[in-house]
Amino acid sequence: MASRPLQEPAFLILSALAKGPSHGYGIAKDVEESSGGRITLRAGTLYGAIDRLVTAELVEVDHEEVVDSRLRRYYRLSAEGGLRLAVEARRVETQAREALERLAARNVVAPVIA
Amino acid sequence: MTGQRMVVHPALVRDYERLCAAFPRAYRREHEVELLGHLVEAAPAGATRASTAERVDLLRSAAREWLLAPVGSTPRQRRDATRWLLVLVPLVLVPAAVTRLAWVAAVIANGRGMANILASEPAAPAWAVWSVAMLVLLAGGLRTARVLATVAAVMGWVAIGALCVAGHESKAFIEVGWVVGLTFAAVVVAQRAGWERPLGSPVWRRVGVALSVVAAGFVGWSAVSPSLLTTGNSWSVAVLGLPRLTSTSGVSVALIIAALAALVWSRSARQAAPAMVAVVTAVISARADVFGDRVIANGQVSVGHVFAVLALAAVTAAVARWIVNRLDEMALPRELLRTSTT
């Protein structure tokens, strides 16, 4: 059964967790950096998105720790989540490569994003 | 960041705590400490109040959590509730849909026009759209089904509003329960669509297809047997010869209570109980003379009664959610003990 494209915030959250288990604040910082500041996931929105991913069993709770009297709950990518992210990343990569090849054929050069 | 102390203004923490208090209790039990830690860590140095963007984000998220509270406040609750409600809500709504669409089919076959249909059954288009939504869902089109189910719910509420405005409060009083069911159907399909995963459960989908074929058969039968319009009996009585069984008869009430008790007994199925209680309460309360004085028989229904049905459904759902959350809490130590000994 073909999987549906992931929404961008979900894709970026899964991508952030692909580096390893992370807490909510760490995920939000990673999403902001990897989107070049374009996407800012505030706390309410972020934990709603994480809950949806946990409900869908794409993300799991890894462990909890107390740092400076503040609870940090770490999340990790589930096996299913890793697979889903890989499939989605391949799909996006294939589409992007095709678009760049077509543009190159028209002598349109894509700018390099720093 | 580990070991590095951050100085945070106490007023900022209190502001964040007030904003977090807007979330449902079950959600706060799961996330509040984590949420506060995140907010404090992300706060700019020297901040004493939450920013406008943070307030809007938290209050909007809290509103969303309250709307979804009948289907649970934690991922496990929502997952279990969504799985069960995706089957149970359509099972409850299908008889109402078939009855109304069968009537529409008989009316059309009898040569009467759409104006006649809409005047007598303004929610008929909503039921038609909902039926299409369920067929699309069975075919695996989650996002399309979400849109159609939402449209059906909105059309249902528009029909209720139109009935009230036109002075047909009695009809609105009777139908509002089913529109509550349509609304929960839309919420559940939207929840499931948000999982970003295709539908599984081939067994349930085959059952759904079989039920759809049977339902379509009854609707078709009504089109070729328009005498149903003149007998005054429902198709289940006229066509199948079943005894008349109203939703408020002793047998029906006993069956409904037994079904709800069975739901609450199972740890995963009980998450669906609050939503089912809301739908059942909304459907039955108008028929069971809950508001006394035989308001329908005496033609004394007002818009207030329609709102009273909704309020009663909300209260019973909240009570059911409270009961389910307490049962979950009582089951947690046993579950922890079981997992620690394995």
Side-chain angles (χ1 to χ4, degrees):
Chain A
M1 198 174 297
S3 64
R4 207 166 287 104
L6 279 174
Q7 296 194 351
E8 192 174 11
F11 178 85
L12 291 171
I13 290 173
L14 293 180
S15 177
L17 291 173
K19 284 197 304 193
S22 182
H23 51 82
Y25 182 62
I27 294 171
K29 292 295 287 178
D30 191 274
V31 165
E32 191 169 352
E33 284 166 13
S34 57
S35 68
R38 195 168 43 86
I39 296 177
T40 303
L41 289 178
R42 298 198 188 277
T45 306
L46 172 69
Y47 289 103
I50 290 176
D51 272 356
R52 280 193 292 280
L53 292 170
V54 171
T55 304
E57 296 175 312
L58 300 179
V59 165
E60 297 166 334
V61 175
D62 187 66
H63 70 278
E64 295 176 356
E65 64 181 31
V66 177
V67 174
D68 201 16
S69 307
R70 283 190 295 279
L71 176 76
R72 282 183 179 173
R73 180 176 288 152
Y74 285 76
Y75 299 92
R76 64 167 182 257
L77 215 53
S78 68
E80 173 93 29
L83 192 60
R84 188 86 168 81
L85 178 64
V87 166
E88 185 65 17
R90 279 274 178 254
R91 188 185 67 79
V92 170
E93 182 191 45
T94 304
Q95 287 178 342
R97 193 182 316 121
E98 199 167 312
L100 287 169
E101 283 170 0
R102 290 173 181 175
L103 287 169
R106 298 181 62 188
N107 295 320
V108 176
V109 178
V112 174
I113 299 170
Chain B
M1 289 293 275
T2 304
Q4 187 179 350
R5 292 195 67 83
M6 287 176 61
V7 178
V8 180
H9 201 288
L12 178 65
V13 177
R14 281 197 299 274
D15 205 14
Y16 284 145
E17 285 173 346
R18 273 194 294 270
L19 287 166
C20 289
F23 286 84
R25 187 164 164 243
Y27 183 89
R28 280 187 281 131
R29 203 167 38 243
E30 180 82 5
H31 281 305
E32 186 170 25
V33 180
E34 173 186 23
L35 199 51
L36 280 171
H38 178 133
L39 288 165
V40 164
E41 206 163 351
T48 57
R49 308 292 295 202
S51 68
T52 304
E54 282 175 327
R55 280 181 206 285
V56 168
D57 174 67
L58 287 170
L59 292 175
R60 185 174 55 206
S61 300
R64 183 177 179 275
E65 292 301 325
W66 276 108
L67 282 174
L68 294 175
V71 293
S73 295
T74 67
R76 187 190 64 77
Q77 287 182 335
R78 288 206 183 138
R79 183 169 50 237
D80 291 343
T82 301
R83 282 183 176 145
W84 280 95
L85 289 172
L86 212 55
V87 173
L88 293 175
V89 172
L91 275 178
V92 167
L93 295 182
V94 156
V98 169
T99 303
R100 283 147 182 78
L101 293 177
W103 180 85
V104 169
V107 165
I108 291 173
N110 216 28
R112 297 186 203 171
M114 278 302 293
N116 190 272
I117 292 171
L118 288 174
S120 303
E121 195 65 62
W127 286 110
V129 172
W130 179 80
S131 302
V132 172
M134 292 302 105
L135 291 173
V136 170
L137 184 66
L138 284 173
L142 269 168
R143 287 187 180 168
T144 307
R146 173 175 59 186
V147 171
L148 289 171
T150 305
V151 167
V154 170
M155 288 169 77
W157 288 111
V158 167
I160 295 295
L163 284 169
C164 291
V165 165
H168 300 302
E169 289 90 351
S170 298
K171 181 77 174 165
F173 186 55
I174 293 288
E175 290 298 314
V176 73
W178 294 117
V179 176
V180 168
L182 288 176
T183 307
F184 271 109
V187 167
V188 169
V189 173
Q191 275 288 288
R192 184 57 184 83
W195 287 12
E196 312 271 8
R197 289 173 70 165
L199 277 176
S201 302
V203 172
W204 280 112
R205 290 170 78 174
R206 280 196 280 269
V207 169
V209 168
L211 280 176
S212 302
V213 169
V214 170
F218 278 123
V219 173
W221 186 303
S222 300
V224 299
S225 304
S227 58
L228 283 173
L229 286 174
T230 56
T231 60
N233 283 326
S234 69
W235 56 262
S236 59
V237 172
V239 175
L240 299 177
L242 293 175
R244 182 178 286 277
L245 189 69
T246 65
S247 58
T248 55
S249 66
V251 173
S252 296
V253 170
L255 284 173
I256 289 168
I257 291 174
L260 289 173
L263 261 186
V264 171
W265 188 259
S266 155
R267 182 143 194 239
S268 87
R270 73 170 61 125
Q271 306 306 331
M276 294 309 297
V277 163
V279 174
V280 167
T281 302
V283 169
I284 289 182
S285 59
R287 293 160 173 78
D289 210 27
V290 166
F291 302 102
D293 297 330
R294 295 172 52 79
V295 289
I296 297 177
N298 295 337
Q300 294 169 341
V301 179
S302 69
V303 172
H305 288 102
V306 176
F307 282 110
V309 166
L310 297 176
L312 189 60
V315 165
T316 51
V319 169
R321 175 45 66 191
W322 186 87
I323 291 171
V324 166
N325 286 348
R326 299 293 81 72
L327 289 172
D328 278 351
E329 280 172 15
M330 285 177 352
L332 192 56
R334 282 200 299 276
E335 193 174 297
L336 287 172
L337 187 63
R338 199 180 313 126
T339 53
S340 68
T341 54
T342 54

